[in-house]
Amino acid sequence: MFKIVRLLNFYLLCVAALLISSCGGQLDILSGLNENDANQVIVLLQSKDITASKISVPGRTVTYTIKVGSSDAQDALKLLVDNKLPKIKSAGLAEVYPVGGGGLIPSPGQEKAQMMMALQGEIENMLLVLPGIVQARAVIVLPDPSIIRERSTTAPQTTASIAVVYNPIDSKGTASVSTDDIKYLVASAVPELSPSAVTVLMASNVPVQFSSPKPAPSPTNTVATASLVDDRDDSLLLIFGGIAAGGLVLGVLALLRAIVLRSRLRRLERHASDAENI
């Protein structure tokens, strides 16, 4: 009887494990986002009919995690890569010169390098605010005024190189901002920088082409795939139904065996009491 009960429990555990494995859960595809970046990701995924949820993670600074269904994880990640989300932000003044972050007095070279990094980060973050801009990189070259030069030598001028990736607003690949707008915007943010000394390279956002793309299924292949899926679902239902039926039969047999053993025990007790009376 105990063996039958153990076997019944084993079958029930197997059924539970198969049911859990057949149900898809949710996966974390992004974490450590601020609320604005998390909202952008949610809007993009939902516009492509991918159900996503935003989970807040408490801490010193509240961050957000994006969850999607395990069946949608691959499509969601490809969509984020194609649209370059979340946007990569560079260190600006607040990061390079944090409040209360002073220590030893930096050297002039370190101070210049920190100022350059902060200035480039501020320009990149400013460009990302413009509509349609998905990525921006800036390199500023400031001449060193402490270098002694001859009077006949022309002092080098401040220059800037800007690379921008944008989402086009029409089928012709038109950007929402022009190169001249970016030149004047960057020149106004850097001292002694002329718009003519700003080089701007703009490129439209091109989705990543993964290797070995899957061919589009023909209607015949689609029907065949659908029939295979249906057959697999029917097979799973038959397997689960067979396991459940087997467990039910074992349970009934265990119950009948317990009843038979109990009746035999009562008969033995009666025979024993009759023998004592004789």
mmCIF file of all heavy atoms in Angstrom, residues 26 29-30 33-55 64-68 76 79-80 85-86:
data_model
loop_
_atom_site.group_PDB
_atom_site.id
_atom_site.type_symbol
_atom_site.label_atom_id
_atom_site.label_comp_id
_atom_site.label_asym_id
_atom_site.label_seq_id
_atom_site.Cartn_x
_atom_site.Cartn_y
_atom_site.Cartn_z
ATOM 1 N N GLN A 26 8.049 35.275 -17.205
ATOM 2 C CA GLN A 26 8.521 36.571 -17.655
ATOM 3 C C GLN A 26 10.024 36.673 -17.446
ATOM 4 O O GLN A 26 10.570 36.089 -16.511
ATOM 5 C CB GLN A 26 7.808 37.697 -16.904
ATOM 6 C CG GLN A 26 6.398 37.957 -17.397
ATOM 7 C CD GLN A 26 5.876 39.288 -16.899
ATOM 8 O OE1 GLN A 26 6.175 39.708 -15.781
ATOM 9 N NE2 GLN A 26 5.084 39.957 -17.716
ATOM 10 N N ILE A 29 14.594 42.027 -19.314
ATOM 11 C CA ILE A 29 15.420 42.357 -20.475
ATOM 12 C C ILE A 29 16.228 43.625 -20.246
ATOM 13 O O ILE A 29 17.234 43.838 -20.919
ATOM 14 C CB ILE A 29 14.574 42.493 -21.746
ATOM 15 C CG1 ILE A 29 13.522 43.602 -21.587
ATOM 16 C CG2 ILE A 29 13.910 41.174 -22.097
ATOM 17 C CD1 ILE A 29 12.792 43.917 -22.876
ATOM 18 N N LEU A 30 15.810 44.467 -19.311
ATOM 19 C CA LEU A 30 16.538 45.691 -18.986
ATOM 20 C C LEU A 30 16.390 45.967 -17.506
ATOM 21 O O LEU A 30 15.355 45.681 -16.909
ATOM 22 C CB LEU A 30 16.013 46.889 -19.795
ATOM 23 C CG LEU A 30 16.378 46.965 -21.284
ATOM 24 C CD1 LEU A 30 15.663 48.140 -21.922
ATOM 25 C CD2 LEU A 30 17.870 47.079 -21.482
ATOM 26 N N LEU A 33 17.144 51.287 -15.129
ATOM 27 C CA LEU A 33 16.720 52.425 -15.944
ATOM 28 C C LEU A 33 16.104 53.510 -15.077
ATOM 29 O O LEU A 33 15.519 53.231 -14.022
ATOM 30 C CB LEU A 33 15.692 51.983 -16.990
ATOM 31 C CG LEU A 33 16.105 50.881 -17.966
ATOM 32 C CD1 LEU A 33 14.945 50.538 -18.878
ATOM 33 C CD2 LEU A 33 17.312 51.305 -18.775
ATOM 34 N N ASN A 34 16.215 54.766 -15.536
ATOM 35 C CA ASN A 34 15.430 55.808 -14.892
ATOM 36 C C ASN A 34 14.018 55.763 -15.472
ATOM 37 O O ASN A 34 13.731 55.041 -16.435
ATOM 38 C CB ASN A 34 16.072 57.187 -15.083
ATOM 39 C CG ASN A 34 16.246 57.558 -16.542
ATOM 40 O OD1 ASN A 34 15.403 57.250 -17.375
ATOM 41 N ND2 ASN A 34 17.348 58.226 -16.855
ATOM 42 N N GLU A 35 13.131 56.555 -14.902
ATOM 43 C CA GLU A 35 11.723 56.446 -15.281
ATOM 44 C C GLU A 35 11.483 56.870 -16.731
ATOM 45 O O GLU A 35 10.678 56.261 -17.442
ATOM 46 C CB GLU A 35 10.857 57.286 -14.343
ATOM 47 C CG GLU A 35 9.364 57.055 -14.523
ATOM 48 C CD GLU A 35 8.538 57.677 -13.428
ATOM 49 O OE1 GLU A 35 9.111 58.434 -12.614
ATOM 50 O OE2 GLU A 35 7.309 57.417 -13.381
ATOM 51 N N ASN A 36 12.192 57.890 -17.186
ATOM 52 C CA ASN A 36 12.001 58.354 -18.558
ATOM 53 C C ASN A 36 12.433 57.296 -19.569
ATOM 54 O O ASN A 36 11.714 57.007 -20.541
ATOM 55 C CB ASN A 36 12.788 59.649 -18.778
ATOM 56 C CG ASN A 36 12.558 60.238 -20.156
ATOM 57 O OD1 ASN A 36 11.429 60.320 -20.623
ATOM 58 N ND2 ASN A 36 13.618 60.654 -20.811
ATOM 59 N N ASP A 37 13.604 56.685 -19.354
ATOM 60 C CA ASP A 37 14.066 55.638 -20.266
ATOM 61 C C ASP A 37 13.137 54.430 -20.230
ATOM 62 O O ASP A 37 12.860 53.810 -21.263
ATOM 63 C CB ASP A 37 15.486 55.210 -19.906
ATOM 64 C CG ASP A 37 16.511 56.298 -20.198
ATOM 65 O OD1 ASP A 37 16.188 57.202 -20.991
ATOM 66 O OD2 ASP A 37 17.618 56.257 -19.618
ATOM 67 N N ALA A 38 12.657 54.077 -19.035
ATOM 68 C CA ALA A 38 11.742 52.937 -18.928
ATOM 69 C C ALA A 38 10.437 53.213 -19.670
ATOM 70 O O ALA A 38 9.900 52.324 -20.344
ATOM 71 C CB ALA A 38 11.456 52.641 -17.455
ATOM 72 N N ASN A 39 9.923 54.439 -19.586
ATOM 73 C CA ASN A 39 8.691 54.781 -20.298
ATOM 74 C C ASN A 39 8.891 54.708 -21.810
ATOM 75 O O ASN A 39 8.003 54.253 -22.545
ATOM 76 C CB ASN A 39 8.225 56.175 -19.900
ATOM 77 C CG ASN A 39 7.724 56.224 -18.461
ATOM 78 O OD1 ASN A 39 7.317 55.201 -17.909
ATOM 79 N ND2 ASN A 39 7.751 57.385 -17.857
ATOM 80 N N GLN A 40 10.051 55.155 -22.310
ATOM 81 C CA GLN A 40 10.320 55.076 -23.745
ATOM 82 C C GLN A 40 10.332 53.627 -24.219
ATOM 83 O O GLN A 40 9.801 53.297 -25.287
ATOM 84 C CB GLN A 40 11.652 55.749 -24.063
ATOM 85 C CG GLN A 40 11.647 57.262 -23.886
ATOM 86 C CD GLN A 40 12.968 57.889 -24.270
ATOM 87 O OE1 GLN A 40 13.824 57.260 -24.881
ATOM 88 N NE2 GLN A 40 13.155 59.133 -23.890
ATOM 89 N N VAL A 41 10.948 52.751 -23.431
ATOM 90 C CA VAL A 41 11.005 51.342 -23.805
ATOM 91 C C VAL A 41 9.604 50.730 -23.799
ATOM 92 O O VAL A 41 9.225 49.974 -24.716
ATOM 93 C CB VAL A 41 11.945 50.577 -22.855
ATOM 94 C CG1 VAL A 41 11.850 49.071 -23.093
ATOM 95 C CG2 VAL A 41 13.378 51.057 -23.037
ATOM 96 N N ILE A 42 8.804 51.047 -22.788
ATOM 97 C CA ILE A 42 7.449 50.504 -22.694
ATOM 98 C C ILE A 42 6.609 50.938 -23.891
ATOM 99 O O ILE A 42 5.889 50.136 -24.507
ATOM 100 C CB ILE A 42 6.783 50.947 -21.379
ATOM 101 C CG1 ILE A 42 7.433 50.244 -20.171
ATOM 102 C CG2 ILE A 42 5.289 50.656 -21.405
ATOM 103 C CD1 ILE A 42 7.157 48.769 -20.097
ATOM 104 N N VAL A 43 6.689 52.226 -24.250
ATOM 105 C CA VAL A 43 5.907 52.735 -25.382
ATOM 106 C C VAL A 43 6.318 52.054 -26.679
ATOM 107 O O VAL A 43 5.481 51.680 -27.505
ATOM 108 C CB VAL A 43 6.069 54.264 -25.483
ATOM 109 C CG1 VAL A 43 5.462 54.784 -26.782
ATOM 110 C CG2 VAL A 43 5.405 54.955 -24.299
ATOM 111 N N LEU A 44 7.628 51.865 -26.878
ATOM 112 C CA LEU A 44 8.106 51.217 -28.101
ATOM 113 C C LEU A 44 7.631 49.774 -28.183
ATOM 114 O O LEU A 44 7.137 49.320 -29.232
ATOM 115 C CB LEU A 44 9.637 51.273 -28.149
ATOM 116 C CG LEU A 44 10.288 50.530 -29.311
ATOM 117 C CD1 LEU A 44 9.899 51.149 -30.634
ATOM 118 C CD2 LEU A 44 11.807 50.507 -29.154
ATOM 119 N N LEU A 45 7.763 49.016 -27.104
ATOM 120 C CA LEU A 45 7.371 47.609 -27.122
ATOM 121 C C LEU A 45 5.866 47.453 -27.319
ATOM 122 O O LEU A 45 5.408 46.600 -28.084
ATOM 123 C CB LEU A 45 7.819 46.922 -25.828
ATOM 124 C CG LEU A 45 9.330 46.823 -25.599
ATOM 125 C CD1 LEU A 45 9.619 46.141 -24.274
ATOM 126 C CD2 LEU A 45 10.013 46.080 -26.734
ATOM 127 N N GLN A 46 5.079 48.275 -26.640
ATOM 128 C CA GLN A 46 3.635 48.174 -26.778
ATOM 129 C C GLN A 46 3.160 48.595 -28.161
ATOM 130 O O GLN A 46 2.127 48.119 -28.639
ATOM 131 C CB GLN A 46 2.946 49.004 -25.694
ATOM 132 C CG GLN A 46 3.124 48.425 -24.292
ATOM 133 C CD GLN A 46 2.416 49.235 -23.230
ATOM 134 O OE1 GLN A 46 1.920 50.333 -23.492
ATOM 135 N NE2 GLN A 46 2.357 48.719 -22.015
ATOM 136 N N SER A 47 3.905 49.496 -28.831
ATOM 137 C CA SER A 47 3.523 49.883 -30.195
ATOM 138 C C SER A 47 3.707 48.732 -31.175
ATOM 139 O O SER A 47 3.135 48.750 -32.264
ATOM 140 C CB SER A 47 4.361 51.082 -30.648
ATOM 141 O OG SER A 47 5.732 50.730 -30.785
ATOM 142 N N LYS A 48 4.518 47.740 -30.798
ATOM 143 C CA LYS A 48 4.738 46.555 -31.623
ATOM 144 C C LYS A 48 4.015 45.328 -31.064
ATOM 145 O O LYS A 48 4.388 44.186 -31.344
ATOM 146 C CB LYS A 48 6.239 46.260 -31.737
ATOM 147 C CG LYS A 48 7.042 47.388 -32.359
ATOM 148 C CD LYS A 48 6.589 47.698 -33.776
ATOM 149 C CE LYS A 48 7.432 48.793 -34.395
ATOM 150 N NZ LYS A 48 7.019 49.110 -35.779
ATOM 151 N N ASP A 49 2.976 45.577 -30.240
ATOM 152 C CA ASP A 49 2.137 44.508 -29.688
ATOM 153 C C ASP A 49 2.922 43.530 -28.819
ATOM 154 O O ASP A 49 2.645 42.332 -28.791
ATOM 155 C CB ASP A 49 1.432 43.735 -30.811
ATOM 156 C CG ASP A 49 0.477 44.618 -31.602
ATOM 157 O OD1 ASP A 49 -0.072 45.563 -31.010
ATOM 158 O OD2 ASP A 49 0.293 44.374 -32.814
ATOM 159 N N ILE A 50 3.932 44.039 -28.099
ATOM 160 C CA ILE A 50 4.678 43.230 -27.134
ATOM 161 C C ILE A 50 4.304 43.709 -25.734
ATOM 162 O O ILE A 50 4.534 44.869 -25.379
ATOM 163 C CB ILE A 50 6.193 43.348 -27.348
ATOM 164 C CG1 ILE A 50 6.582 42.774 -28.715
ATOM 165 C CG2 ILE A 50 6.956 42.617 -26.245
ATOM 166 C CD1 ILE A 50 8.059 42.896 -29.042
ATOM 167 N N THR A 51 3.705 42.848 -24.965
ATOM 168 C CA THR A 51 3.280 43.192 -23.615
ATOM 169 C C THR A 51 4.497 43.279 -22.698
ATOM 170 O O THR A 51 5.275 42.331 -22.601
ATOM 171 C CB THR A 51 2.293 42.152 -23.065
ATOM 172 O OG1 THR A 51 1.179 42.057 -23.957
ATOM 173 C CG2 THR A 51 1.806 42.558 -21.683
ATOM 174 N N ALA A 52 4.667 44.434 -22.063
ATOM 175 C CA ALA A 52 5.812 44.659 -21.181
ATOM 176 C C ALA A 52 5.319 45.348 -19.909
ATOM 177 O O ALA A 52 4.320 46.064 -19.918
ATOM 178 C CB ALA A 52 6.868 45.514 -21.868
ATOM 179 N N SER A 53 6.040 45.121 -18.829
ATOM 180 C CA SER A 53 5.698 45.740 -17.542
ATOM 181 C C SER A 53 6.922 46.435 -16.968
ATOM 182 O O SER A 53 8.054 46.002 -17.175
ATOM 183 C CB SER A 53 5.180 44.683 -16.554
ATOM 184 O OG SER A 53 6.126 43.640 -16.382
ATOM 185 N N LYS A 54 6.667 47.518 -16.257
ATOM 186 C CA LYS A 54 7.730 48.323 -15.644
ATOM 187 C C LYS A 54 7.681 48.106 -14.139
ATOM 188 O O LYS A 54 6.690 48.418 -13.497
ATOM 189 C CB LYS A 54 7.523 49.803 -15.998
ATOM 190 C CG LYS A 54 8.564 50.739 -15.409
ATOM 191 C CD LYS A 54 8.273 52.193 -15.805
ATOM 192 C CE LYS A 54 7.019 52.691 -15.138
ATOM 193 N NZ LYS A 54 6.779 54.125 -15.389
ATOM 194 N N ILE A 55 8.753 47.585 -13.572
ATOM 195 C CA ILE A 55 8.832 47.259 -12.147
ATOM 196 C C ILE A 55 9.841 48.206 -11.495
ATOM 197 O O ILE A 55 10.997 48.303 -11.934
ATOM 198 C CB ILE A 55 9.254 45.794 -11.917
ATOM 199 C CG1 ILE A 55 8.379 44.853 -12.752
ATOM 200 C CG2 ILE A 55 9.196 45.448 -10.444
ATOM 201 C CD1 ILE A 55 6.913 44.900 -12.402
ATOM 202 N N TYR A 64 14.272 51.173 -12.539
ATOM 203 C CA TYR A 64 13.157 50.401 -13.088
ATOM 204 C C TYR A 64 13.687 49.238 -13.920
ATOM 205 O O TYR A 64 14.721 49.350 -14.583
ATOM 206 C CB TYR A 64 12.253 51.289 -13.939
ATOM 207 C CG TYR A 64 11.559 52.365 -13.133
ATOM 208 C CD1 TYR A 64 12.168 53.598 -12.908
ATOM 209 C CD2 TYR A 64 10.309 52.148 -12.575
ATOM 210 C CE1 TYR A 64 11.548 54.573 -12.161
ATOM 211 C CE2 TYR A 64 9.674 53.115 -11.827
ATOM 212 C CZ TYR A 64 10.303 54.328 -11.621
ATOM 213 O OH TYR A 64 9.688 55.298 -10.878
ATOM 214 N N THR A 65 12.947 48.137 -13.855
ATOM 215 C CA THR A 65 13.259 46.939 -14.619
ATOM 216 C C THR A 65 12.119 46.661 -15.592
ATOM 217 O O THR A 65 10.947 46.809 -15.227
ATOM 218 C CB THR A 65 13.453 45.731 -13.682
ATOM 219 O OG1 THR A 65 14.566 45.975 -12.819
ATOM 220 C CG2 THR A 65 13.712 44.461 -14.468
ATOM 221 N N ILE A 66 12.466 46.254 -16.812
ATOM 222 C CA ILE A 66 11.476 45.950 -17.832
ATOM 223 C C ILE A 66 11.361 44.436 -17.964
ATOM 224 O O ILE A 66 12.363 43.740 -18.141
ATOM 225 C CB ILE A 66 11.849 46.567 -19.194
ATOM 226 C CG1 ILE A 66 12.045 48.080 -19.051
ATOM 227 C CG2 ILE A 66 10.791 46.263 -20.233
ATOM 228 C CD1 ILE A 66 10.824 48.826 -18.602
ATOM 229 N N LYS A 67 10.136 43.930 -17.863
ATOM 230 C CA LYS A 67 9.863 42.502 -17.990
ATOM 231 C C LYS A 67 8.960 42.260 -19.188
ATOM 232 O O LYS A 67 8.017 43.024 -19.425
ATOM 233 C CB LYS A 67 9.179 41.954 -16.727
ATOM 234 C CG LYS A 67 10.059 41.918 -15.487
ATOM 235 C CD LYS A 67 9.274 41.396 -14.289
ATOM 236 C CE LYS A 67 10.158 41.252 -13.061
ATOM 237 N NZ LYS A 67 11.086 40.121 -13.184
ATOM 238 N N VAL A 68 9.245 41.191 -19.927
ATOM 239 C CA VAL A 68 8.385 40.757 -21.023
ATOM 240 C C VAL A 68 8.207 39.252 -20.913
ATOM 241 O O VAL A 68 8.943 38.572 -20.185
ATOM 242 C CB VAL A 68 8.983 41.125 -22.406
ATOM 243 C CG1 VAL A 68 9.130 42.624 -22.558
ATOM 244 C CG2 VAL A 68 10.320 40.434 -22.618
ATOM 245 N N ALA A 76 11.673 41.469 -28.483
ATOM 246 C CA ALA A 76 11.817 42.720 -27.745
ATOM 247 C C ALA A 76 13.261 43.214 -27.758
ATOM 248 O O ALA A 76 13.519 44.407 -27.956
ATOM 249 C CB ALA A 76 11.328 42.532 -26.305
ATOM 250 N N LEU A 79 14.145 44.606 -31.134
ATOM 251 C CA LEU A 79 13.510 45.909 -31.321
ATOM 252 C C LEU A 79 14.274 47.005 -30.590
ATOM 253 O O LEU A 79 14.440 48.120 -31.106
ATOM 254 C CB LEU A 79 12.062 45.833 -30.812
ATOM 255 C CG LEU A 79 11.132 46.983 -31.178
ATOM 256 C CD1 LEU A 79 11.002 47.098 -32.680
ATOM 257 C CD2 LEU A 79 9.771 46.758 -30.546
ATOM 258 N N LEU A 80 14.767 46.708 -29.403
ATOM 259 C CA LEU A 80 15.544 47.698 -28.652
ATOM 260 C C LEU A 80 16.878 47.984 -29.333
ATOM 261 O O LEU A 80 17.325 49.133 -29.381
ATOM 262 C CB LEU A 80 15.775 47.201 -27.225
ATOM 263 C CG LEU A 80 14.531 47.060 -26.351
ATOM 264 C CD1 LEU A 80 14.893 46.485 -24.998
ATOM 265 C CD2 LEU A 80 13.845 48.405 -26.173
ATOM 266 N N LEU A 85 17.815 51.731 -27.971
ATOM 267 C CA LEU A 85 17.270 52.056 -26.658
ATOM 268 C C LEU A 85 17.791 51.032 -25.651
ATOM 269 O O LEU A 85 17.954 49.843 -25.969
ATOM 270 C CB LEU A 85 15.740 52.027 -26.684
ATOM 271 C CG LEU A 85 15.048 53.199 -27.359
ATOM 272 C CD1 LEU A 85 13.535 52.995 -27.326
ATOM 273 C CD2 LEU A 85 15.405 54.520 -26.713
ATOM 274 N N PRO A 86 18.047 51.457 -24.404
ATOM 275 C CA PRO A 86 17.959 52.840 -23.915
ATOM 276 C C PRO A 86 19.123 53.697 -24.414
ATOM 277 O O PRO A 86 20.184 53.173 -24.739
ATOM 278 C CB PRO A 86 18.006 52.666 -22.401
ATOM 279 C CG PRO A 86 18.788 51.412 -22.192
ATOM 280 C CD PRO A 86 18.426 50.503 -23.343
#
